[in-house]
Amino acid sequence: MDSPGGAAAEDQQEFAGRVKSFFESAPPLVDGENVSKKIAGFISRNRGGEADRVVCVTSGGTTVPLEQRCVRYIDNFSSGHRGATSTEYFVKAGYAVIFLHRRGAYQPYCRYLPEDSFLDFFEVTEGSAIRVCESHAKEVTRAIRDYRAAVDGGLLLKVPFTSIFEYLQILQIVAGSMKPLGSFGMFYLAAAVSDFYVPWESMAEHKIQSAGGPLDMRLAPVPKMLSLLRKEWAPMAFCISFKLETDSDILLKKADMALRKYGMHVVVANELSTRKKEVVVVTDTGKVKVRTDEQHREVEEKLIDLLIEQHSHYIEESEKDAVNG
Ligand code: PAZ
């Protein structure tokens, strides 16, 4: 019979095999070299600079393609509002932000602009110039001013993804580049990441035909990369993951489990229907409920304040540990 140690080693080997096969079979990242360069450049410009702290905010849902020449895919629920809003508060607090977002999801600084009637914001003058309508001037001015300040100040880098393959490849690149930041790096993982996927090599190349009757498809579990992120990719970074459930009875138990299993520093628990008003911050010292109120219309405002406080404490402790060897 296997010793418990032997079983654990076997589990680890099996996990390592699944990770290897996920990355080896993933289609290469389009323009991967350029993406890596941009991320590395952004981090090195901010390292030891004014911002000093860099956070990777992930946002939006990942897709699981069903065909290599993808016509159909499985999607994950997330509008990207949490990630976009949080990005603004991190920048405001002086963090440099890598905004790893789903293409087409909410974007920082323009999340309060309506998505369906953008053209209603503008009018053509008699001289054929274009100007912002008086009724929307305030929002547009604010959006442009804040966005420009973040980008021109070198505090915002936007990197898009669509599929689970792209997301995890880019996350790994970001983590590798963040490693030298040590405890000054942070991951704020608000993206809704697919739990299952179709391995590339077993995926149909062309559009699946409906004439063949019912669709019979086997999905493989996506290896949980959170533990790798913590243990190998960026072991000193401060890691916050999110846990979404629709059943409030299991939410906090699942958040506790994620905290222990993946070695997260913080898990933010939220329920689908109340996620914009209330979250619970779970750490190994306890649970704190964060809610909107009269002064804080967005739950992210208080949440980011609290997380920054915890990050500062983490940096202090890591520096003490380093001094004491
Ligand atoms: O993107 P959004 O604002 O519509 O929703 C945010 C969220 C619920 C996707 C996020 O807070 C979250 O919980 N992300 C992790 C989801 C998960 O458990 O996979």
Side-chain angles (χ1 to χ4, degrees), residues 60 77-82 189-193 242-244 270 275:
F77 165 82
S78 169
S79 66
H81 198 270
R82 170 91 73 224
L189 305 162
V193 181
F242 279 73
K243 175 52 74 190
L244 173 71
N270 56 170
R275 72 189 190 284

Side-chain angles (χ1 to χ4, degrees), residues 247-257 269 280 282 287:
D247 178 354
S248 55
D249 289 346
I250 62 168
L251 178 62
L252 294 180
K253 214 161 81 196
K254 296 282 294 267
D256 267 329
M257 239 164 67
V280 179
V282 180
K287 297 179 176 60

Side-chain angles (χ1 to χ4, degrees), residues 252 278-281 287-291 302 306:
L252 294 180
E278 180 181 307
V279 298
V280 179
V281 173
K287 297 179 176 60
V288 179
K289 198 174 267 190
V290 181
R291 293 180 64 98
K302 278 189 185 173
L306 182 64

Side-chain angles (χ1 to χ4, degrees), residues 11-309:
D11 280 356
Q12 256 181 7
Q13 241 178 13
E14 192 262 344
F15 175 69
R18 288 197 296 118
V19 171
K20 191 163 176 257
S21 117
F22 178 90
F23 282 116
E24 280 181 1
S25 74
L29 202 56
V30 176
D31 207 17
E33 225 170 275
N34 200 19
V35 172
S36 302
K37 256 194 217 153
K38 268 194 194 161
I39 293 170
F42 180 81
I43 291 172
S44 77
R45 279 193 299 280
N46 279 293
R47 191 176 170 192
E50 219 171 284
D52 224 12
R53 300 184 188 188
V54 180
V55 58
C56 173
V57 173
T58 72
S59 185
T62 60
T63 67
V64 171
L66 300 185
E67 299 124 343
Q68 290 182 352
R69 302 185 190 206
C70 184
V71 175
R72 304 191 187 92
Y73 53 85
I74 301 172
D75 209 347
N76 257 53
F77 165 82
S78 169
S79 66
H81 198 270
R82 170 91 73 224
T85 312
S86 306
T87 292
E88 293 179 25
Y89 286 113
F90 275 121
V91 169
K92 202 169 167 194
Y95 277 64
V97 182
I98 299 171
F99 181 60
L100 179 53
H101 65 279
R102 165 74 178 274
R103 284 184 184 85
Y106 274 113
Q107 296 291 304
Y109 306 109
C110 39
R111 64 200 158 80
Y112 38 79
L113 306 178
E115 54 200 64
D116 55 346
S117 56
F118 191 62
L119 293 177
D120 289 345
F121 278 41
F122 303 98
E123 58 198 4
V124 180
T125 65
E126 270 175 27
S128 290
I130 292 170
R131 73 169 172 226
V132 181
C133 302
E134 195 48 47
S135 51
H136 295 101
K138 226 165 131 186
E139 291 126 286
V140 175
T141 309
R142 185 171 72 155
I144 295 174
R145 193 194 51 215
D146 292 351
Y147 173 71
R148 284 263 58 97
V151 172
D152 298 345
L155 292 180
L156 178 61
L157 177 70
K158 300 210 265 180
V159 185
F161 67 81
T162 302
S163 72
I164 180 72
F165 297 112
E166 280 182 295
Y167 173 78
L168 287 174
Q169 288 179 93
I170 302 174
L171 187 66
Q172 189 181 24
I173 293 171
V174 174
S177 302
M178 291 263 267
K179 210 172 179 175
L181 293 177
S183 58
F184 284 76
M186 185 201 270
F187 284 87
Y188 178 90
L189 305 162
V193 181
S194 324
D195 286 327
F196 299 97
Y197 77 115
V198 184
W200 193 255
E201 68 278 2
S202 58
M203 197 184 291
E205 181 186 349
H206 292 284
K207 185 179 169 212
I208 297 166
Q209 298 298 310
S210 56
L215 181 59
D216 195 3
M217 187 170 273
R218 210 176 147 75
L219 302 180
V222 173
K224 297 285 181 205
M225 307 285 182
L226 288 185
S227 47
L228 268 185
L229 174 69
R230 277 289 291 121
K231 284 191 198 133
E232 291 176 25
W233 294 355
M236 287 303 292
F238 190 67
C239 285
I240 300 147
S241 71
F242 279 73
K243 175 52 74 190
L244 173 71
E245 293 295 342
T246 50
D247 178 354
S248 55
D249 289 346
I250 62 168
L251 178 62
L252 294 180
K253 214 161 81 196
K254 296 282 294 267
D256 267 329
M257 239 164 67
L259 192 76
R260 282 196 307 276
K261 192 164 173 194
Y262 306 122
M264 291 290 109
H265 297 102
V266 180
V267 175
V268 181
N270 56 170
E271 205 214 301
L272 185 65
S273 59
T274 55
R275 72 189 190 284
K276 291 206 172 165
K277 292 202 188 107
E278 180 181 307
V279 298
V280 179
V281 173
V282 180
T283 61
D284 58 6
T285 55
K287 297 179 176 60
V288 179
K289 198 174 267 190
V290 181
R291 293 180 64 98
T292 49
D293 57 37
E294 277 296 303
Q295 282 90 47
H296 306 88
R297 292 290 171 82
E298 294 179 308
V299 73
E300 288 82 3
E301 188 175 359
K302 278 189 185 173
L303 173 65
I304 303 306
D305 270 356
L306 182 64
L307 294 174
I308 290 178
E309 212 178 281

